[in-house]
Amino acid sequence: MGHDLEKVLVTEEQINARLTEMAAEIDADYAGRELLLVGVLKGAVMVMADLSRRLHHDVEMDWMAVSSYGSGTKSSGVVRILKDLDCDVTGRDVLIVEDIVDTGLTLSWLIANLRSRGAHSVEVATMLRKPGEARVPVEVAYVGFDIPGEFVVGYGLDYNQRYRTLPFVGTLAPHVYA
Ligand code: PRP
């Protein structure tokens, strides 16, 4: 799939080094507390697997799948749950694990939703963030990399469900969209 790519924005080495730093921060911040990692399918699969294995913490893992309602635009801010958590978050320290925060609308809804269920704390770890695209302010405790507003694929991120398994983050050549 090399000819589909335009450029690499974040290399595999950069991702791995940053994951190790993020895991150390999370271990320190949650010392002595039980942590529940909540991954948002499907994009977060890679960062969940790689970040969780770097933690020295004994963590629990659960998953949600969400989707924006109807309108056709990716993030309308109105979210529907396709797959809910298996566990009860009441009183738990929750860390949402995401591949990317773009407009912030999905995450903003998700944070409010988990807080309304009685979680003790809700924080966010994301590998990528596009500060230029933010439409709502979302506090993100752990960020891998801030990137420009370009469409990116790899490390969990897809275009029409492809390219998720690339070990780096890159942009696609224009002919792929044509
Ligand atoms: C992506 C990403 C976030 C959301 C971020 O998921 O994983 O959940 O979009 O966008 P926002 O900040 O603008 O709300 P997507 O809907 O592409 O689903 P996927 O993870 O299954 O690819």
Side-chain angles (χ1 to χ4, degrees), residues 147-174:
I147 59 169
E150 297 169 273
F151 186 80
V152 291
V153 296
Y155 202 66
L157 291 151
D158 73 304
Y159 174 64
N160 285 345
Q161 302 302 324
R162 295 181 64 205
Y163 311 106
R164 288 191 200 273
T165 55
L166 293 173
F168 53 84
V169 175
T171 57
L172 286 174

Side-chain angles (χ1 to χ4, degrees), residues 23-35 56-57 93 142:
E25 285 176 47
I26 293 166
D27 270 333
D29 291 350
Y30 288 89
R33 290 151 77 193
E34 279 181 24
L35 183 56
H56 295 107
H57 244 75
D93 288 312
Y142 311 96

Side-chain angles (χ1 to χ4, degrees), residues 41-43 74-75 98-100 102-106 158 164:
L41 295 167
K42 304 172 186 158
K74 200 179 75 161
S75 282
E98 266 285 22
D99 51 340
I100 190 163
D102 198 327
T103 63
L105 289 165
T106 306
D158 73 304
R164 288 191 200 273

Side-chain angles (χ1 to χ4, degrees), residues 34 36-38 60 62-64 84-96 110-122:
E34 279 181 24
L36 173 66
L37 302 178
V38 171
E60 250 182 72
D62 205 344
W63 300 90
M64 282 182 81
D84 206 348
L85 296 171
D86 293 329
C87 72
D88 180 0
V89 298
T90 309
R92 309 281 312 259
D93 288 312
V94 177
L95 181 62
I96 299 172
L110 201 53
I111 292 168
N113 180 277
L114 295 179
R115 286 202 175 125
S116 75
R117 302 187 199 194
H120 175 253
S121 68
V122 181

